[in-house]
Amino acid sequence: MKKLLVFRYSAMGDVAILLPVLKGLLKCNPNIEVYLITRTQFFPFFQGIDRLYPIETDPDSRHKGVLGLFRLFHELRRTIKPDYVFDLHKVIRTYALDIMFRISGYKVIRFKKGRQEKKKMIRTKVLYQLPLTAERYASAFEERGFPLTLPAPPVFELRRLPPNFENLSAGTDLLIGIAPFSQHPQKVWGMEKTEDLIRLIDKKYKAKILLFGGGTQEKTNLEKIASKHENCIVSAHYFGLAEEIAVLPRLAVMISMDSANMHLTALAGVPTVSVWGATHPFLGFAPYFQPKENMIQYEGSDLPCRPCSVYGKKKCIHPSVKCMDFISADAVFLRVSQILGENRTH
């Protein structure tokens, strides 16, 4: 049995996208085991998968800094004794570990991030589909002789619903998710448009709406929305990450920004309507197995500045984020209603 050690710390969406890659890898290669180094809070993504072992580390204390990484290297070499090391992150922390393993004679493979291709697209605005992150991960394994086929969603293992789910969803068989936030403001549609969308949904459907978001400020903003709409529930008040993963397959549709929630819902096999601002799906971060028509973005000629950033970090040159301003609640609702119509027909 060959042992593959894989590094991928963060961000959440990039770690989640690794799930179908590792499932495909293990299915096509029954003679391997995968040991995954990632943050402990992401372990729920990888529950119940045979021969996949998330390894707990302590990057904020025991394994912090150069000495901490040296300590981690010795622990991994002693306990796992890997045959191959795959760096699917390529940051200073994993570069240091790569060097330690290489010096000690281990085979280290780094995936190709495509940084230059992405920067060129931002600079030239010549848009074409770059490989998805999942495809880049897969290529690293395939080039080392480990073939794999990316599985169609859903890719999460089946999980038991939280005990309070039935009470929260009582009164309707239609559950809709909305995740209105993202890490950077250039990827956020806005509270006002989110509430406009909720009002449009309320006019046509008898639905419960689960609002997704984490962190103190996001929860506060979600509470403000929920206080105005009886059918809205703030998911974080009732579910942790593992429980949210169990709930996601019950959604009829999710509306999300370019964020981790977009990726999680797509991996759960749920129709995911994503709203794009400063970033672009062609840069490789499109949601897994979602059709183009589910990705709502401004594609007119009035904003030659878009896309302006790979990850959405760059501050907008306009007083407001124009590429988000130009996307109406009606445009998003149209796609949502089309999906709900299709699902109910089937």
Side-chain angles (χ1 to χ4, degrees), residues 21 88 133-143 146 148 150:
V21 180
L88 303 184
T133 301
E135 294 169 340
R136 292 187 185 276
Y137 290 157
S139 293
F141 294 109
E142 291 170 332
E143 289 171 9
F146 297 101
L148 67 93
L150 291 171

Side-chain angles (χ1 to χ4, degrees), residues 3 83 96 124 134 166 178 180 208 229 231 236 250 259 274 293 312 318 330 336:
K3 296 180 178 180
D83 295 286
T124 65
E166 296 301 336
I178 300 180
K208 284 283 180 71
H229 304 273
N231 60 337
R250 292 298 186 96
S259 68
S274 49
E293 53 267 30
H318 302 284
D330 289 302
V336 170

